Amino acid sequence: MTSGRGVPATEFSRNFARYRDQAIESRIIHVTSHGRVIGAYLSASEAAHYEALKRRERQSLVVGELPEDLVAAIEAAEYGAGPE
């Protein structure tokens, strides 16, 4: 198991099949180098979850490029109020 610390990169590369199987249970294997996390190996289900989150990630907008009606709606919005 990789509880918290992670797996050294050399260990991970030499025993990839073992960690690939372990990722099914653990969902993520942190890979380290010199005690620092340098990457991670995700299970297929965790990778699918990550991709779904990335698709839902919010888009950044430049206020000066927003239509005036949208700016007015934002200005009139109240905290905690749902969409109309």
Side-chain angles (χ1 to χ4, degrees), residues 26-82:
S26 301
R27 298 187 314 200
I28 185 168
I29 306 291
H30 292 98
V31 180
T32 64
S33 178
H34 303 287
R36 292 186 353 221
V37 174
I38 58 167
Y41 181 76
L42 305 176
S43 68
S45 65
E46 196 65 20
H49 179 69
Y50 171 80
E51 291 297 329
L53 290 174
K54 290 297 285 180
R55 282 191 298 274
R56 291 179 20 196
E57 197 171 65
R58 293 184 181 194
Q59 179 183 7
S60 295
L61 303 172
V62 177
V63 174
E65 297 174 1
L66 296 175
E68 297 217 9
D69 61 327
L70 182 56
V71 172
I74 292 170
E75 289 173 342
E78 294 182 32
Y79 179 78

